Amino acid sequence: MKPQFLIAAPHSGAGKTTITLALLRALQRSGRRVQPFKCGPDYLDPKHHTLAAGRESVNLDAFMMPEPHLFEVYQRYARQADVSIIEGVMGLFDGAHKMEGSSAALAALLDIPVILVVDAQAMAYSAAALLYGYRHFFPGIKLAGVIFNFVNAPSHYRILEEAAADAGVPVLGYLPERPDIRISSRHLGLHISGETDYNAVIDTAADHLSEHIDLELLLQHTLRPEPAAAVITPASPGRLQIAIARDEAFNFTYRENIAALSQLGDIRYFSPLTAASLPPADLLYFPGGYPELYLPQLAANTTLLQQLRQYEGRILAECGGMMYLGENIIDENGQPWPMAGLLKVSTSMQHKALTLGYREIHIGNEVFRGHEFHYSQYETVPEITGPAIRIFNARQETVAGVVFHTPRILAGYMHFYWGDNIEGLQRVLGLVS
């Protein structure tokens, strides 16, 4: 038996990320191997998890990942840990379509209990009705307990304890308000401004949590049978040379995507911000990130941009990486910054508008799933020639969008997931027939 659980909340902003990070750090400091996971496609929370736990966080997404693959990924990492903690997304039952892809659906699929974080700052005995509803709404999950956050005083907590008891939900503790451990949001989401300061915030949050929550009681409430051994078919190592952009401007990658790429050959990393030359490679991968924050540096590295224009291998680019391959990126003030010019398109941060959602892309006979999350927009709608590409959202509704697909480039705003389909990616990129 091992503690395994998902941390959820009735809504965003209840403090589940801060509590997740505090739990990861507190349990890691106790000498336990703690494996963090993130429900959904988010790139930023896993970076924080990794910092807090000292182990790389792994995304689990029931929309992008087929069930057998999702099970295999979870079991592979969970078996190597003493405790497995999944941070949920949005509200417990919020999914792409009703509960599809929600935290509750993931907990039910993996058969692990849920700890509910409730923002109690403006709530007292009404918590009983809320908890009763969350306990009974969907019988596919087990509510292992509740943590009340932003509690005003011990007398306030006593009322909340009574409410939870009447709803039949175990109380695992409470946290008073601590403004100094609130994690500020910036840009697309949570942002690490400096690891040293951020480590201090996580340590303070862990101290605060340990003072008010009985960790051993929490672990006892979340024991589940040890995950089964994952059945993995060893891949034959490939011979490709793969170069991946990784720095402050480009860093949105999924661990399982990188693991799948490693089956094709040797991986090396380089920085478009500082690299003096493009590394030798059969395949270049430019993931998403924050290129718009580093436009002067990217534009000033003219040697690398010129080498990229002369590069003859295959290129895969997503979101910020796709923007970098375009002719210009226009900043918020309307100034254009020259980029690689491999795609006849310019993108702009001047008139920001959020584009968000899951995507399913059909390229010939190949199907890939992923998601979009960006504020930049095309300066003009690109004209696309070549094979027809169909794009759908999570409800299987047609979505207007652009995917660049040439004999050697695959690029677009979509963040692809290919952890379960590296063969399809090879075919689309023309690496195999």
Side-chain angles (χ1 to χ4, degrees):
M1 303 285 281
K2 285 185 177 181
Q4 305 168 62
F5 56 94
L6 184 145
I7 298 176
H11 53 80
S12 297
K16 62 178 179 290
T17 295
T18 300
I19 288 177
T20 299
L21 297 175
L23 277 170
L24 291 171
R25 178 58 58 84
L27 292 170
Q28 186 248 7
R29 292 193 311 200
S30 73
R32 293 175 170 91
R33 296 170 298 170
V34 189
Q35 177 59 58
F37 298 90
K38 173 63 181 180
C39 174
D42 181 79
Y43 290 106
L44 299 167
D45 285 346
K47 294 179 185 295
H48 301 121
H49 296 170
T50 300
L51 182 62
R55 295 171 71 92
E56 189 171 353
S57 185
V58 178
N59 291 80
L60 299 172
D61 190 293
F63 177 82
M64 298 194 303
M65 305 166 73
E67 283 189 13
H69 174 67
L70 190 153
F71 270 114
E72 185 275 314
V73 170
Y74 176 74
Q75 291 167 352
R76 178 166 19 111
Y77 291 103
R79 279 186 62 84
Q80 301 172 33
D82 301 314
V83 183
S84 295
I85 301 177
I86 304 174
E87 182 186 351
V89 60
M90 300 175 65
L92 176 57
F93 299 107
D94 296 330
H97 179 214
K98 294 187 176 180
M99 280 179 53
E100 182 184 357
S102 68
S103 302
L106 181 62
L109 183 65
L110 297 176
D111 191 25
I112 59 173
V114 172
I115 292 176
L116 195 68
V117 175
V118 172
D119 177 354
Q121 60 185 327
M123 182 183 300
Y125 188 70
S126 292
L130 183 148
L131 292 174
Y132 184 88
Y134 274 77
R135 180 186 173 199
H136 293 283
F137 176 73
F138 177 54
I141 60 170
K142 175 189 175 184
L143 200 56
V146 60
I147 294 173
F148 291 109
N149 202 13
F150 311 127
V151 175
N152 299 321
S155 57
H156 180 201
Y157 179 55
R158 286 195 292 272
I159 298 172
L160 296 168
E161 281 187 301
E162 294 170 346
D166 288 350
V169 177
V171 180
L172 302 177
Y174 76 101
L175 292 177
E177 169 72 5
R178 280 286 299 266
D180 58 328
I181 64 172
R182 279 185 177 267
I183 300 166
S184 61
S185 61
R186 195 187 90 118
H187 208 57
L188 295 184
L190 297 176
H191 177 70
I192 298 176
S193 57
E195 287 198 1
T196 301
D197 293 339
Y198 201 81
N199 261 317
V201 172
I202 295 175
D203 276 331
T204 302
D207 293 339
H208 184 53
L209 181 137
S210 299
E211 181 181 348
H212 295 279
I213 292 175
D214 186 336
L215 291 177
E216 298 305 321
L217 175 65
L218 183 151
L219 296 178
Q220 285 297 316
H221 274 278
T222 56
L223 288 172
R224 295 294 300 146
E226 186 162 328
V231 178
I232 303 173
T233 303
S236 300
R239 297 182 179 179
L240 294 179
Q241 295 296 314
I242 302 168
I244 301 176
R246 184 172 68 179
D247 55 22
E248 293 86 350
F250 305 99
N251 52 62
F252 289 175
T253 58
Y254 291 126
R255 176 167 179 158
E256 292 308 296
N257 277 354
I258 304 303
L261 284 178
S262 70
Q263 298 176 22
L264 305 183
D266 298 324
I267 290 176
R268 68 179 66 185
Y269 295 93
F270 72 102
S271 169
L273 289 170
T274 62
S277 62
L278 198 64
D282 304 295
L283 171 63
L284 295 176
Y285 173 31
F286 292 92
Y290 298 113
E292 64 272 22
L293 300 182
Y294 302 93
L295 294 176
Q297 298 96 311
L298 290 171
N301 195 349
T302 56
T303 301
L304 192 74
L305 289 170
Q306 183 58 35
Q307 291 180 5
L308 184 55
R309 294 180 190 113
Q310 297 170 351
Y311 175 75
E312 296 181 350
R314 302 298 197 271
I315 301 176
L316 172 63
E318 302 167 323
C319 202
M322 177 274 296
M323 295 166 67
Y324 180 67
L325 295 189
E327 296 179 323
N328 299 285
I329 299 178
I330 301 168
D331 66 21
E332 293 182 353
N333 298 317
Q335 179 177 348
W337 297 87
M339 295 292 136
L342 298 184
L343 302 175
K344 300 304 179 185
V345 65
S346 293
T347 51
S348 175
M349 297 297 298
Q350 193 170 23
H351 305 290
K352 293 188 290 186
L354 176 61
T355 301
L356 169 67
Y358 283 115
R359 298 290 182 261
E360 182 178 284
I361 293 186
H362 295 240
I363 306 174
N365 294 323
E366 303 297 337
V367 178
F368 296 95
R369 285 188 164 188
H371 71 103
E372 286 189 46
F373 194 153
H374 58 91
Y375 286 96
S376 67
Q377 303 293 321
Y378 293 114
E379 183 69 3
T380 58
V381 178
E383 293 185 9
I384 299 297
T385 59
I389 295 175
R390 294 173 293 155
I391 307 174
F392 303 92
N393 62 19
R395 295 174 176 263
Q396 288 298 299
E397 299 164 338
T398 301
V399 175
V402 176
V403 177
F404 301 91
H405 184 218
T406 72
R408 67 184 192 91
I409 297 176
L410 176 63
Y413 266 122
M414 176 170 140
H415 298 272
F416 289 83
Y417 185 82
W418 63 80
D420 64 311
N421 188 20
I422 190 63
E423 297 85 1
L425 185 68
Q426 286 179 276
R427 289 188 289 269
V428 167
L429 290 172
L431 295 170
V432 295
S433 57

